[in-house]
């Protein structure tokens, strides 16, 4: 028998125990006084009827408690079911109904036991019933408190599970957003380089066969690198146990600048960063992505325009990046809220930095300020 069935059987076992006590007395009466056998049978019938009536105590606890209490006027064995019905009623904490059911049960017991007047049997019966009602009231209130506690615990467990599911879903969304930023930063950079090289091949007519082969080799290598990085990013989506691909760092920024210069982009750099080796890896990675995205935007919105990169900072202060380029007539404004700038804004917010962009004197200017130390 599982625990739930056992708990449902306990009230009936208690009622049967009380009925059994009175049944023993009734059997003794039936044996010693045969003429009272029908009275004994009637008492037992009322008690059994009260036991059957207990099945309805959850749907109508007040009614069942009143009926079984009133039946105590006719039967002693029905006191067992009456006790169970009364406990079920007290668990609902309706004090007016509890008082009425308790009074009716007490009066019924007193009337049933007063057939021979004021005797020791009457005093004993009334005293026992009074103590029983007090004990049953306490038991019913205790059981209700236990039920409330179990309900509260169940609600807390459900709430905790809901929070865990929400946290897991939020973590998944954050990871997807991170992967989306990485894919945009990497692929936009590679594809813009491909476009730059392909554009040169399409419009230059003075290239020798060696120059064409060299440009085609660069295009092939850029496409291969783009595919490799795309596979690594998508692989992290498919395999949750895989580690993330190596991320770029501040020390790789010169290689990025050389790569875009080799592709034909004009970049002027003013590096005023001191003790760059002390820059935290995460800050350096964000700085690398900011410069990379700014160069990509410049190739997209202002092809052929010179890009000025100013980097300034030192330990104990902040790292400032300013990337600017002249706007091209007829080109879209890169500050119009593209995915690249949105992703960079999210990056900078993660480390409590700031990112702004503006157009001044025909130049598009991107300013980023990052803390030198990671925020605690």
């Amino acid at each position: 028998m599982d625990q739930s069935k056992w708990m449902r059987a306990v009230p009936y076992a208690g009622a049967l125990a009380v009925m059994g006590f009175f049944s023993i007395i009734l059997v003794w009466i039936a044996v010693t006084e045969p003429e009272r056998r029908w009275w004994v049978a009637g008492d037992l019938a009322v008690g059994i009827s009260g036991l059957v009536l207990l099945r309805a105590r959850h749907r109508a606890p007040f009614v069942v408690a009143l009926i079984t209490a009133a039946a105590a006027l006719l039967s002693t064995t029905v006191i067992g079911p009456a006790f169970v019905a009364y406990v079920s009623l007290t668990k609902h904490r309706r004090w007016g109904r509890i008082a009425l059911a308790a009074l009716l049960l007490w009066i019924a017991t007193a009337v049933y036991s007063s057939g021979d007047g004021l005797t020791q049997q009457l005093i004993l019966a009334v005293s026992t019933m009074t103590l029983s009602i007090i004990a049953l009231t306490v038991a019913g209130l205790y059981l209700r408190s236990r039920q409330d506690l179990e309900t509260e615990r169940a609600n807390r467990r459900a709430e905790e599970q809901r929070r865990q599911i929400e946290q897991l879903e939020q973590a998944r969304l954050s990871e997807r957003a991170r992967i989306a930023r990485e894919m945009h930063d990497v692929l936009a950079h590679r594809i813009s380089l491909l476009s730059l090289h392909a554009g040169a091949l399409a419009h230059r007519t003075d290239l020798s066969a060696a120059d064409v082969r060299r440009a085609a080799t660069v295009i092939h290598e850029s496409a291969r690198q783009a595919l490799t990085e795309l596979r690594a990013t998508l692989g992290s989506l498919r395999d949750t146990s895989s580690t993330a691909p190596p991320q770029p760092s501040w020390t790789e920024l010169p290689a990025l600048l050389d790569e875009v210069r080799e592709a034909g982009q004009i970049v002027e750099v003013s590096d005023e960063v001191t003790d760059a080796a002390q820059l935290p890896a995460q800050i350096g990675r964000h700085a690398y992505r900011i410069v990379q995205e700014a160069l990509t935007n410049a190739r997209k919105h202002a092809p052929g325009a010179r890009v000025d990169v100013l980097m300034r900072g030192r330990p104990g202060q902040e790292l400032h990046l300013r990337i600017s380029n002249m706007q091209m007539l007829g080109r879209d404004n890169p500050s119009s809220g593209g995915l690249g700038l949105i992703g960079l804004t999210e990056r900078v917010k993660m480390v409590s930095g700031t990112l702004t962009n503006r157009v001044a004197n025909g130049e598009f200017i991107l300013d980023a300020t990052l803390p030198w130390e990671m925020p605690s």
Side-chain angles (χ1 to χ4, degrees):
M1 181 182 294
D2 59 31
Q3 185 175 3
S4 60
K5 292 183 178 179
W6 169 253
M7 294 302 295
R8 288 196 297 268
V10 168
Y12 291 96
L16 286 172
V18 177
M19 290 178 66
F21 171 77
F22 287 108
S23 296
I24 293 174
I25 298 176
L26 292 176
V27 169
W28 174 256
I29 293 174
V31 171
T32 58
E33 302 179 35
E35 68 277 5
R36 301 183 64 183
R37 289 177 181 175
W38 288 108
W39 172 78
V40 170
D43 192 307
L44 290 173
V46 173
I48 294 172
S49 299
L51 188 67
V52 173
L53 189 61
L54 288 181
R55 295 177 58 87
R57 72 186 188 280
H58 297 299
R59 296 192 302 272
F62 183 54
V63 174
V64 173
L66 290 182
I67 293 175
T68 53
L73 289 167
L74 307 173
S75 169
T76 55
T77 54
V78 81
I79 291 178
F83 281 174
V84 174
Y86 179 75
V87 170
S88 296
L89 178 64
T90 58
K91 288 162 62 176
H92 292 271
R93 294 176 181 171
R94 304 285 293 273
W95 297 108
R97 295 184 174 186
I98 292 173
L100 181 59
L103 180 62
L104 181 58
L105 182 58
W106 187 89
I107 292 174
T109 303
V111 171
Y112 184 88
S113 304
S114 63
D116 297 330
L118 183 61
T119 61
Q120 290 184 348
Q121 179 183 357
L122 173 61
I123 296 174
L124 179 62
V126 170
S127 300
T128 303
M129 180 56 65
T130 301
L131 294 176
S132 298
I133 289 175
I134 294 173
L136 292 172
T137 303
V138 173
L141 296 177
Y142 170 75
L143 291 175
R144 174 57 186 267
S145 298
R146 287 291 304 270
Q147 287 181 354
D148 291 344
L149 181 61
E150 290 297 327
T151 301
E152 183 180 353
R153 288 176 177 173
N155 291 336
R156 283 203 300 265
R157 287 194 295 268
E159 180 66 18
E160 182 64 24
Q161 291 177 352
R162 185 185 65 80
R163 283 199 299 266
Q164 289 178 354
I165 293 174
E166 288 181 352
Q167 291 173 357
L168 180 60
E169 186 63 24
Q170 185 62 39
R172 288 172 178 165
L173 292 176
S174 299
E175 183 64 11
R176 288 179 180 275
R178 183 193 67 80
I179 293 173
R181 286 196 301 269
E182 294 294 333
M183 290 181 66
H184 176 274
D185 293 343
V186 171
L187 295 183
H189 170 68
R190 294 296 176 191
I191 293 174
S192 63
L193 288 180
L194 285 173
S195 177
L196 191 62
H197 285 295
L201 284 178
H203 295 94
R204 294 280 299 276
T205 59
D206 57 340
L207 296 177
S208 65
D211 292 333
V212 172
R213 283 195 299 272
R214 186 162 47 251
T217 300
V218 173
I219 292 175
H220 177 267
E221 181 62 21
S222 295
R224 186 189 65 79
Q225 291 178 355
L227 288 174
T228 299
E229 291 168 342
L230 178 61
R231 289 192 188 99
T233 304
L234 294 179
S236 66
L237 280 174
R238 290 191 297 266
D239 185 6
T240 56
S241 64
S242 64
T243 57
Q247 296 294 314
S249 63
W250 177 264
T251 58
E252 298 177 48
L253 193 54
L256 171 67
L257 297 172
D258 291 340
E259 183 181 27
V260 299
R261 288 191 182 110
E262 185 178 349
Q265 191 170 15
I266 304 171
V267 182
E268 295 293 335
V269 179
S270 177
D271 188 355
E272 301 176 13
V273 178
T274 58
D275 295 331
Q278 300 183 28
L279 189 68
Q282 187 172 354
I283 299 297
R285 179 167 68 251
H286 289 317
Y288 178 99
R289 291 302 192 195
I290 290 171
V291 175
Q292 182 187 59
E293 176 62 23
L295 295 175
T296 299
N297 281 342
R299 289 194 298 272
K300 183 192 304 183
H301 299 284
R306 189 185 74 179
V307 182
D308 294 309
V309 180
L310 172 62
M311 301 178 291
R312 181 186 297 121
R314 59 173 43 184
Q317 297 183 359
E318 294 176 321
L319 177 64
H320 297 279
L321 303 174
R322 171 171 291 182
I323 303 97
S324 60
N325 59 268
M326 295 297 297
Q327 284 192 297
M328 303 293 288
L329 295 177
R331 290 278 179 174
D332 295 336
N333 186 351
S335 65
S336 58
L339 292 177
L341 291 178
I342 293 175
L344 292 185
T345 301
E346 293 175 354
R347 282 182 180 278
V348 172
K349 285 182 178 179
M350 286 192 298
V351 292
S352 301
T354 60
L355 181 76
T356 61
N357 61 81
R358 68 184 189 278
V359 177
N361 299 323
E363 281 190 318
F364 175 72
I365 303 173
L366 182 70
D367 283 303
T369 301
L370 303 175
W372 189 274
E373 299 294 337
M374 283 293 299
S376 57

